[in-house]
Amino acid sequence: MEMLLSTKGITICLFFFVLSLAAAIEIPLSVAQLPTITEQSHAQVAYPFDEDFTIKCEARGNPQPTFNWTKDGKPFDLLSDPRIVPSNNSGTFVIQNRGIITNFQGKYRCFASNVLGTAMSEEIELIVPSVPKFPKEKIEPLDVEHGDSVILHCNPPKGIPPLHIYWMNIDLQHIPQDERVSMSLKGDLYFANVEENDSRSDYCCFAAFPRLRTIVQKMPMTLKVSRSNFIKERKPKLLIPPESAGSSSSVTVIKGGVLLLECIAEGLPTPHLSWVKVTGNLPKDEPETENFGKILKIDQVTAADEGTYQCTASNPMGRAKHEFHVHVEEPPRWIKEPEGGVYSVGTNLVLLCEAIGNPEPTIQWKLNGMPIDSKTFRGRISAREISLTNLQLQDSAVYQCEASNKHGTILASANVNVLNIAPLILTSDGENYATVVGYSAFLHCEIFASPAADIRWTKDDSIEPLSTLRYELNKNGTLEIKETKKEDSGSYACWAANSVGKRAITANLDIRDATKLVVTPKNPRVLKSHSILLKCQSEYDSHLKHSFKLSWRKDGDELPVNSTEDGRIILDRDTLFISSVTLADQGVYTCVASTSLDSVTAESQLIVLDVPDPPEDLQLSENQNRSVRLSWKAGANHNSPINESIIEFEENRWEPGRWQELTRTPGNDTTTLLSLAPYMNYQFRVISVNAVGRSQPSKPSLRYATPPAAPDKNPENIRVEASEPNEMVMKWEPLKPVERNGPGLEYKVSWRQRGVEADWNEEMVKKHSLTLRNTPTFVPYEIKVQAVNNLGSGPEPNITIGYSGEDVPDAAPSGVSVDIVNSTLVKVFWFGIPRDRVRGHLRGYKVSWWKTKSMLDGKRHHPEKHFLTFVGDRNYGMIPGLEPFSEFRLTVLAYNAKGDGPESSPVVFETPEGVPEQPRFLRILNFDKDSVTLSWGLPKKANGHLTGYILQYQIINETHEIGPLNDVSVTNRSTLSWRLSGLSSSTKYKFYVKACTVKGCGKPVTEEGLTMAQGTYAGIYDGISTQGWFIGLMCAIALLTLLLLTICFVRRNKGGKYSVKEKEDLHPDPEAQSIKDEIFGEYSDSDEKPLKGSLQSINGDIKATESADSLVDYGEGEHGMFNEDGSFIGAYSGSKEKGSVESTGSSTATFPLHA
């Protein structure tokens, strides 16, 4: 300890002097001290059903106190009765409930003593009740006459309150009570006047004692009421208070208790009781009356309730009065209690004791439980004060102050401990403390000393004083470090010293990182029935992870782990998931993170969006014939402003039960002027709309009927539909029900032939169509339709032009001619038919053609017609997709909506030769080391006389290098195989074969192959077995280098790919540049044959075409491949094809690859 005292440190320059140390710190039991009563019993009832009764008295002191008892002011020996069981080291004893225990009833007091003094308890009253019983007695019957007053006395036995009294008959049914018959507070039954039906022989009084669990019954009483010869009317007479008490009486009530004033009167007719306060202030609240006005009751009596109260009993015969002078008294209560404490030698002592009560209480001082003799007491004593100067150790004592009046006694004790000891540090040495950054740290140093000790704290080895305001020394010795920082960690020492001695302890402080929280998302807005996931992200000191806890709250209330029975809300530590969000889920959600050192929160307000509530309280005003004002109250918008309101109507005259939209109002407008139609019986409803959606409709408004009127409009969309040639059907859109405006709606139809001076023909119809017969074919008419109802006609109608019925054309086009464009395309010309021969609206022309024979073999063909339609009034058209080198016949006709007219005379034309289609196949029959034999088939269609074939080949390999394209011309058209020589060994080639006519060559068929050094061939289409044999042979005879090269080639043939597209793009097929600029349309015949076009020659020479026509030159085929305006939908010419590197034996057309 000397080392501690000599240690350098920083001293907190804060000293304080303890004037009364015991007021703040309890005296340690290790210090000699006076006895103190710590626990005692209060008034107690010895119930007969209890097994025993405990009288408690506990005290502490040093030395351990001994206990003594008094009973009714006299010493009481706990060993005087074997039924008393005392406790060791305690004043508590138990009385066993055996035999007669009434002698234990009395007032007990406990005294706890040691060498320093004696402490005394308050009085403990033990009540031993007797079992209440009614005396056995014979009760004579009461004979009275009608109108007399009667009192049935109960006289209940004594017992432990509360006491409840009941008047019942032998069947345990309550005796009815009212203003005439009532029970007094003492339990007697009063009759203000009796009636004959009061006669009975079983008036029984029952007394119930709940605390004793007992109910006793008095012997039944008999009351006989006989009829009187006269009516005994009389003025009221008070029975309670009795007349003997005079006109007034005094009543004393305890403050805080219940005041009960009772007046019961007899008389005939039955008196009525009333109450009034004569003197003093009136109560703030109207006094409460009970028992039919016969009892005045005031709870929690105060001094203001003191005064004179008067009760008045009155009937038509007179009055009776009584005054109660109420006095409010109270038992003693403390104003100032004496306060003990720890005092140093040489100090002074002043004890104050002051109490009030009514009557004024008397004060008595006691010393160690005995009255103080003022003659021998060395200090000064008065009724309210005791004082001592220059206290010495022997002045230690227990001072008792007792205040008494007739309503009770109260006791206050003051322990005066005079001590002279060195400081005792009650806090353990070497305590470890921890807090988090920013919080306050409290280092405890609980001191007990007399005289008072000086306390100071030091830190580490520094001697500099702590001058900042962050350090504060509390009166109990605790050092508070405010807003801690990391550098506050370290070792601290607490020093305590007084005139007797000195002590010191150390304390260690660790500063941890503060816990941090963030809740995401912050203040989300969620649609009702959707889901939301709240995430609580936290950071905390690693030393605190074992005490770290997370919890969630909603609006301040903690959410349990399973907060909903249906599992909608799921808590999983740092996440809160709410599915099917409801409006009730809206609120502030708080994540709470706590450790052993700190607690932090983070909030997120969940806002639930929903459609608005339906509008309410629809009202109609400003009623007019064609308008009314609708007003309403908007419902809750559920966090999304109302954008607009939709007003709907329903009318029960034309379409009952069908709601239709009438108008819309913007924003939060809650009133609008509605425009209405005549002759309607409306009701309205409103729908609110926000960003989430529509509300439910409001309840309908009251109905509102508008008067009828003439129509405001005429029918629309007047038209003449197709009909028979000599017939005209006029139709129009009928007026809607809301447009009729009144009853008896009809339509006035007027018509006349256009350009002919004639009167209007008129007819009234109820339908929305009218048919005229025997009209000229396709003649224009002027038509009017007007709405008419019982109240008048609509506005003057507009004139509409319509034509009578059409017929098919009766003339064929003339001057039909054909220009040959190329081998598959021709251009047709014709002269249109006169307009008067169309006999309707001309829709267009239809060209039909069919093949008659092939020019190659001269065979005749069964006529298979094809046609194209050319819309509109025109005189030419393009016919694509013809077979080359063939003879055709062609006709043209005009058509309208009614049908086709007659065909023109057939025109014969021939198509020239074209390029052939690709050969049917290409195969490699033999592949030697430097040569190959190719075989191919005839083209699918020659499209002319074959002149020969063109063979082409080039080297291809795994790299992007492509060899030059070599050409071989086969002029003999009968030759279908060819051997190529001069090839490189172990090289991959691609071969092409085209068939040719005088017009050029067609698309090629291709194949690929690989030459070998040994002259064997591994074609793409060879089987796996051939490749296996080849690989095996190579393994047997080849060198290692050649073996590795062979494996590489095999792997290439199985899965390798090369960029054919790039190679082919370098050498486009010369046939691809065909006459696609000329052919924009397509057609299909009944066999759905593919379209064909001319191809370029193998040398890439492009033949000029004469086609510069637009898309409108091409007509519509049987299968709808052209639009109505004649434009072509799909591509006619064959698209550019690309080779497939994976194909084996494919005959797909590909293009040569040029280096």
Side-chain angles (χ1 to χ4, degrees):
M1 185 56 68
E2 291 300 325
M3 291 180 63
L4 285 172
L5 293 174
S6 63
T7 301
K8 292 182 180 180
I10 52 176
T11 303
I12 302 174
C13 302
L14 293 171
F15 302 94
F16 63 92
F17 299 91
V18 179
L19 297 178
S20 178
L21 197 61
I25 300 178
E26 191 176 275
I27 303 174
L29 275 176
S30 59
V31 177
Q33 58 187 283
L34 293 162
T36 302
I37 301 294
T38 58
E39 185 179 5
Q40 73 160 85
S41 297
H42 297 281
Q44 188 168 346
V45 177
Y47 294 110
F49 42 78
D50 290 336
E51 292 183 358
D52 51 43
F53 321 107
T54 301
I55 309 298
K56 287 186 179 181
C57 181
E58 303 290 343
R60 64 178 177 83
N62 189 3
Q64 178 71 30
T66 59
F67 296 88
N68 296 292
W69 286 89
T70 62
K71 177 176 178 286
D72 297 330
K74 297 178 182 180
F76 179 70
D77 185 2
L78 297 184
L79 302 177
S80 61
D81 194 304
R83 291 174 292 179
I84 299 176
V85 182
S87 302
N88 295 328
N89 300 322
S90 169
T92 300
F93 65 92
V94 176
I95 301 174
Q96 296 178 341
N97 190 3
R98 297 202 309 264
I100 299 173
I101 60 172
T102 53
N103 60 313
F104 288 112
Q105 180 166 303
K107 295 182 179 180
Y108 294 80
R109 194 185 290 271
C110 174
F111 296 86
S113 305
N114 65 12
V115 294
L116 299 177
T118 299
M120 180 177 67
S121 73
E122 296 178 359
E123 281 190 336
I124 304 170
E125 183 178 10
L126 177 62
I127 301 171
V128 182
S130 59
V131 178
K133 294 180 181 179
F134 279 105
K136 292 184 179 181
E137 58 181 333
K138 183 179 181 182
I139 304 174
E140 297 294 332
L142 289 176
D143 294 316
V144 294
E145 291 184 350
H146 185 284
D148 290 342
S149 68
V150 173
I151 303 174
L152 299 182
H153 295 283
C154 181
N155 298 324
K158 292 183 179 181
I160 300 298
L163 167 63
H164 301 299
I165 299 177
Y166 308 95
W167 282 91
M168 293 187 285
N169 59 21
I170 199 67
D171 296 326
L172 299 182
Q173 294 179 339
H174 288 273
I175 302 298
Q177 298 186 31
D178 52 22
E179 207 169 33
R180 183 179 66 86
V181 181
S182 60
M183 183 180 70
S184 69
L185 292 173
K186 291 183 178 180
D188 297 334
L189 191 62
Y190 286 78
F191 294 80
N193 51 79
V194 295
E195 298 174 352
E196 289 186 40
N197 56 7
D198 293 328
S199 295
R200 61 188 315 131
S201 60
D202 56 354
Y203 283 95
C204 298
C205 178
F206 291 84
F209 299 90
R211 294 176 67 184
L212 294 176
R213 306 176 190 175
T214 300
I215 299 177
V216 293
Q217 174 190 349
K218 189 171 183 173
M219 296 297 292
M221 290 174 269
T222 300
L223 176 63
K224 297 179 180 179
V225 181
S226 59
R227 184 174 299 177
S228 176
N229 293 328
F230 59 94
I231 299 175
K232 297 181 179 181
E233 288 189 346
R234 59 194 180 279
K235 68 178 183 178
K237 175 185 174 182
L238 289 175
L239 302 178
I240 297 179
E243 285 188 339
S244 59
S247 61
S248 64
S249 59
S250 294
V251 177
T252 299
V253 63
I254 301 299
K255 183 179 179 181
V258 179
L259 172 63
L260 297 173
L261 301 179
E262 184 177 32
C263 278
I264 297 180
E266 63 92 3
L268 187 67
T270 301
H272 173 73
L273 271 296
S274 61
W275 293 86
V276 65
K277 188 174 184 183
V278 179
T279 62
N281 297 325
L282 291 172
K284 292 183 179 179
D285 298 323
E286 186 71 21
E288 179 184 352
T289 60
E290 294 180 350
N291 199 19
F292 310 101
K294 298 174 183 181
I295 297 175
L296 177 70
K297 180 179 180 181
I298 299 178
D299 291 316
Q300 296 293 321
V301 172
T302 65
D305 295 320
E306 197 169 66
T308 300
Y309 294 81
Q310 177 181 279
C311 75
T312 302
S314 60
N315 69 5
M317 306 303 296
R319 299 182 174 203
K321 298 181 180 180
H322 187 86
E323 290 185 348
F324 297 90
H325 303 291
V326 177
H327 303 281
V328 179
E329 297 183 354
E330 63 175 316
R333 59 184 178 90
W334 293 117
I335 297 297
K336 182 69 177 178
E337 295 184 60
E339 296 181 359
V342 176
Y343 296 86
S344 303
V345 174
T347 58
N348 299 328
L349 168 68
V350 176
L351 298 178
L352 301 178
C353 183
E354 185 177 354
I356 62 171
N358 190 5
E360 180 75 22
T362 58
I363 303 293
Q364 182 184 17
W365 286 95
K366 293 183 179 181
L367 180 64
N368 293 325
M370 302 299 291
I372 298 176
D373 186 354
S374 58
K375 295 179 180 180
T376 60
F377 185 64
R378 77 177 187 87
R380 296 178 58 189
I381 183 170
S382 67
R384 297 186 177 182
E385 181 181 310
I386 283 182
S387 61
L388 280 171
T389 59
N390 190 23
L391 289 173
Q392 299 301 313
L393 294 176
Q394 60 270 24
D395 290 325
S396 294
V398 181
Y399 291 83
Q400 289 100 8
C401 176
E402 202 168 48
S404 305
N405 68 9
K406 66 178 182 178
H407 298 298
T409 299
I410 55 177
L411 176 68
S413 297
N415 286 15
V416 176
N417 289 278
V418 182
L419 301 175
N420 192 41
I421 60 173
L424 292 177
I425 301 181
L426 307 179
T427 303
S428 300
D429 189 17
E431 287 280 357
N432 294 315
Y433 298 90
T435 189
V436 297
V437 174
Y439 281 62
S440 293
F442 295 90
L443 307 184
H444 300 298
C445 186
E446 188 175 356
I447 305 296
F448 181 81
S450 181
D454 296 336
I455 302 175
R456 50 186 169 177
W457 284 83
T458 61
K459 179 179 186 294
D460 297 335
D461 297 329
S462 176
I463 60 173
E464 294 297 325
L466 297 176
S467 58
T468 65
L469 298 177
R470 292 195 305 114
Y471 300 90
E472 181 176 331
L473 186 61
N474 297 329
K475 286 186 177 182
N476 60 2
T478 297
L479 174 66
E480 179 182 357
I481 307 174
K482 300 178 180 179
E483 299 177 1
T484 55
K485 304 175 182 177
K486 280 285 189 179
E487 52 266 28
D488 290 325
S489 296
S491 178
Y492 292 79
C494 173
W495 304 82
N498 65 5
S499 59
V500 183
K502 52 188 173 183
R503 296 284 190 277
I505 63 168
T506 59
N508 300 311
L509 176 62
D510 290 324
I511 306 298
R512 308 297 188 195
D513 292 326
T515 305
K516 299 178 182 179
L517 281 185
V518 175
V519 175
T520 56
K522 185 72 172 177
N523 302 333
R525 299 168 68 87
V526 182
L527 291 176
K528 181 185 175 185
S529 300
H530 285 224
S531 300
I532 179 65
L533 177 68
L534 296 179
K535 178 77 172 178
C536 186
Q537 299 172 336
S538 59
E539 293 181 9
Y540 53 88
D541 195 289
S542 59
H543 296 86
L544 305 176
K545 68 178 182 178
H546 296 297
S547 65
F548 179 77
K549 294 181 180 178
L550 273 180
S551 62
W552 289 88
R553 297 176 185 168
K554 178 180 181 290
D555 298 331
D557 297 327
E558 187 165 350
L559 286 173
V561 176
N562 293 318
S563 58
T564 57
E565 294 182 0
D566 55 0
R568 280 193 319 105
I569 301 179
I570 301 174
L571 299 181
D572 185 11
R573 284 185 56 81
D574 59 345
T575 60
L576 170 62
F577 179 73
I578 307 176
S579 61
S580 299
V581 170
T582 66
L583 294 175
D585 295 325
Q586 181 168 289
V588 176
Y589 288 83
T590 305
C591 179
V592 182
S594 60
T595 67
S596 56
L597 298 180
D598 66 344
S599 178
V600 294
T601 62
E603 295 180 348
S604 181
Q605 183 173 11
L606 175 61
I607 300 173
V608 180
L609 307 178
D610 195 10
V611 298
D613 285 343
E616 300 174 341
D617 193 21
L618 273 62
Q619 301 290 335
L620 300 177
S621 61
E622 302 179 20
N623 301 348
Q624 301 293 329
N625 286 348
R626 295 207 177 193
S627 68
V628 69
R629 179 168 293 280
L630 176 65
S631 304
W632 63 90
K633 292 181 181 177
N637 63 17
H638 297 309
N639 302 308
S640 179
I642 295 176
N643 301 326
E644 65 177 354
S645 297
I646 302 173
I647 292 88
E648 296 182 336
F649 74 92
E650 181 266 349
E651 52 80 28
N652 59 6
R653 190 184 308 278
W654 308 107
E655 296 177 288
R658 179 172 177 259
W659 288 93
Q660 306 174 60
E661 183 174 324
L662 179 60
T663 186
R664 300 190 177 203
T665 60
N668 285 322
D669 290 351
T670 57
T671 181
T672 184
L673 190 64
L674 303 178
S675 297
L676 308 179
Y679 198 54
M680 303 281 280
N681 191 15
Y682 288 98
Q683 66 174 349
F684 308 98
R685 69 182 186 187
V686 184
I687 299 172
S688 297
V689 183
N690 63 8
V692 181
R694 294 187 175 193
S695 72
Q696 291 294 317
S698 67
K699 293 181 180 179
S701 68
L702 298 176
R703 287 208 172 264
Y704 182 70
T706 55
D712 294 325
K713 62 179 296 186
N714 291 314
E716 297 176 345
N717 192 21
I718 300 171
R719 61 198 180 278
V720 177
E721 294 188 351
S723 59
E724 297 300 323
N726 297 319
E727 185 177 83
M728 182 170 67
V729 180
M730 295 173 285
K731 293 186 177 181
W732 56 90
E733 294 293 332
L735 294 184
K736 299 177 182 176
V738 296
E739 298 170 341
R740 298 186 179 189
N741 288 8
L745 178 69
E746 292 184 308
Y747 300 101
K748 178 182 177 182
V749 184
S750 304
W751 71 93
R752 66 183 179 186
Q753 190 170 331
R754 188 178 185 184
V756 177
E757 292 295 333
D759 294 334
W760 288 93
N761 301 290
E762 295 181 352
E763 187 170 336
M764 298 293 293
V765 296
K766 294 183 178 180
K767 301 184 299 181
H768 51 279
S769 65
L770 177 62
T771 301
L772 300 181
R773 304 188 187 280
N774 299 320
T775 59
T777 301
F778 200 63
V779 172
Y781 280 84
E782 294 178 343
I783 303 169
K784 297 189 297 182
V785 181
Q786 185 178 31
V788 180
N789 65 16
N790 292 349
L791 282 83
S793 301
E796 181 63 27
N798 296 324
I799 295 176
T800 301
I801 304 300
Y803 284 81
S804 57
E806 297 185 35
D807 203 350
V808 296
D810 60 357
S814 60
V816 179
S817 62
V818 176
D819 283 355
I820 305 298
V821 178
N822 57 37
S823 61
T824 62
L825 179 69
V826 298
K827 190 171 185 179
V828 183
F829 297 91
W830 63 86
F831 296 117
I833 66 176
R835 183 172 298 277
D836 59 342
R837 305 295 295 275
V838 176
R839 300 202 295 179
H841 295 287
L842 178 66
R843 292 290 183 89
Y845 291 88
K846 189 181 296 184
V847 178
S848 300
W849 72 93
W850 59 96
K851 180 179 177 180
T852 56
K853 70 177 180 178
S854 170
M855 304 297 294
L856 185 64
D857 54 13
K859 290 182 180 180
R860 290 283 175 178
H861 284 260
H862 177 75
E864 185 177 347
K865 274 196 173 184
H866 312 274
F867 69 88
L868 281 179
T869 300
F870 298 89
V871 178
D873 189 5
R874 57 189 296 169
N875 59 1
Y876 71 93
M878 304 291 288
I879 307 299
L882 301 176
E883 290 188 25
F885 210 39
S886 301
E887 180 186 88
F888 292 88
R889 291 178 181 259
L890 178 145
T891 62
V892 183
L893 61 83
Y895 70 96
N896 60 17
K898 197 65 179 175
D900 295 343
E903 290 184 308
S904 64
S905 299
V907 175
V908 178
F909 67 93
E910 296 178 358
T911 55
E913 291 188 56
V915 296
E917 293 185 4
Q918 66 181 165
R920 297 180 182 274
F921 63 87
L922 172 62
R923 295 191 182 95
I924 301 175
L925 299 181
N926 189 18
F927 217 141
D928 294 330
K929 179 172 68 173
D930 58 355
S931 63
V932 63
T933 301
L934 302 178
S935 174
W936 61 88
L938 291 171
K940 297 177 183 177
K941 288 187 178 180
N943 293 336
H945 298 288
L946 291 178
T947 60
Y949 297 91
I950 297 293
L951 273 65
Q952 294 176 310
Y953 61 95
Q954 62 186 155
I955 296 175
I956 59 175
N957 51 34
E958 298 293 342
T959 67
H960 294 291
E961 297 179 2
I962 301 171
L965 188 66
N966 302 291
D967 292 349
V968 175
S969 178
V970 179
T971 57
N972 186 351
R973 63 185 180 185
S974 300
T975 301
L976 294 178
S977 64
W978 194 268
R979 183 172 183 82
L980 293 175
S981 59
L983 304 180
S984 300
S985 62
S986 302
T987 304
K988 191 172 186 178
Y989 283 88
K990 187 167 185 177
F991 303 97
Y992 310 84
V993 175
K994 308 178 190 177
C996 302
T997 65
V998 293
K999 289 293 186 178
C1001 298
K1003 292 182 180 181
V1005 59
T1006 68
E1007 185 57 277
E1008 296 176 6
L1010 180 68
T1011 62
M1012 291 296 178
Q1014 288 72 23
T1016 56
Y1017 165 67
I1020 292 178
Y1021 50 83
D1022 280 359
I1024 300 298
S1025 61
T1026 303
Q1027 296 184 31
W1029 172 85
F1030 177 77
I1031 294 172
L1033 180 62
M1034 292 300 99
C1035 291
I1037 63 175
L1039 297 174
L1040 180 61
T1041 304
L1042 184 59
L1043 175 63
L1044 295 176
L1045 181 61
T1046 304
I1047 293 174
C1048 179
F1049 275 122
V1050 170
R1051 290 183 61 188
R1052 235 179 232 176
N1053 283 336
K1054 286 184 178 180
K1057 297 183 180 180
Y1058 55 91
S1059 179
V1060 176
K1061 179 181 185 306
E1062 294 182 9
K1063 298 175 183 178
E1064 291 181 348
D1065 287 344
L1066 294 174
H1067 308 285
D1069 183 7
E1071 298 297 274
Q1073 303 298 328
S1074 64
I1075 57 171
K1076 64 181 179 181
D1077 293 331
E1078 305 173 17
I1079 310 300
F1080 295 95
E1082 71 173 286
Y1083 82 103
S1084 61
D1085 56 21
S1086 59
D1087 291 336
E1088 299 185 359
K1089 298 177 181 178
L1091 301 179
K1092 304 171 181 60
S1094 300
L1095 299 177
Q1096 293 180 343
S1097 69
I1098 194 168
N1099 296 323
D1101 298 333
I1102 301 176
K1103 293 182 178 292
T1105 65
E1106 300 173 3
S1107 177
D1109 300 306
S1110 67
L1111 295 177
V1112 298
D1113 294 342
Y1114 297 84
E1116 297 178 358
E1118 300 100 312
H1119 303 288
M1121 299 303 290
F1122 293 80
N1123 292 330
E1124 292 183 0
D1125 59 356
S1127 60
F1128 178 54
I1129 294 176
Y1132 167 68
S1133 64
S1135 61
K1136 179 179 179 181
E1137 299 182 22
K1138 298 176 175 57
S1140 171
V1141 302
E1142 301 291 348
S1143 63
T1144 58
S1146 170
S1147 61
T1148 302
T1150 55
F1151 306 137
L1153 305 176
H1154 297 277

